[in-house]
Amino acid sequence: MDWPPSPNFEFSKKEKDLIIDYYKLEFYNKQENYILELKRSDAECLLSALDLIKLNKQADLKSYSELKSTMMREYPDFELLWFQDQIQELRDFGLLCL
């Protein structure tokens, strides 16, 4: 898996008279790639969480509850993001393990 994932495309959508910025994140493994479109704030939150749980830092966080308490300080909606269907698809893709 390539690291660090980075937003390779930024775009906006109009939703109920609001313009919302989105990031398109692309994750790769040896066999395929997975494209994830998230609101900019959600993408930044996910990238922060991925940085915290990457292998060379994994010893610092031993459980989901530790990750959650760390992330909730900066991103109060972290838990809503973490249990979205798109994040579950990342788990199925083999990316997220704690």
Side-chain angles (χ1 to χ4, degrees):
M1 184 103 25
D2 287 344
W3 188 260
S6 59
N8 62 357
F9 185 71
E10 185 175 348
F11 61 97
S12 298
K13 288 183 182 178
K14 188 173 182 177
E15 296 178 8
K16 296 183 182 180
D17 298 328
L18 294 173
I19 296 176
I20 299 174
D21 292 331
Y22 282 79
Y23 277 155
K24 186 181 285 188
L25 303 172
E26 192 164 3
F27 299 91
Y28 300 90
N29 66 19
K30 291 180 181 180
Q31 298 171 345
E32 58 187 318
N33 65 332
Y34 178 76
I35 297 173
L36 180 64
E37 293 179 2
L38 291 173
K39 292 180 184 175
R40 182 180 182 159
S41 60
D42 289 347
E44 290 169 351
C45 177
L46 177 62
L47 291 173
S48 293
L50 291 176
D51 188 52
L52 287 173
I53 63 174
K54 66 183 177 182
L55 289 177
N56 64 345
K57 291 187 177 183
Q58 196 169 9
D60 297 341
L61 295 173
K62 296 179 178 71
S63 68
Y64 167 73
S65 62
E66 290 178 16
L67 174 66
K68 177 183 164 186
S69 65
T70 301
M71 293 301 297
M72 292 285 279
R73 284 184 228 131
E74 190 171 343
Y75 301 100
D77 293 333
F78 171 74
E79 197 165 25
L80 294 173
L81 168 69
W82 196 253
F83 291 104
Q84 284 183 10
D85 290 341
Q86 292 173 307
I87 304 304
Q88 181 59 47
E89 290 174 16
L90 274 180
R91 285 186 194 94
D92 296 343
F93 188 67
L95 178 64
L96 300 177
C97 298
L98 259 183

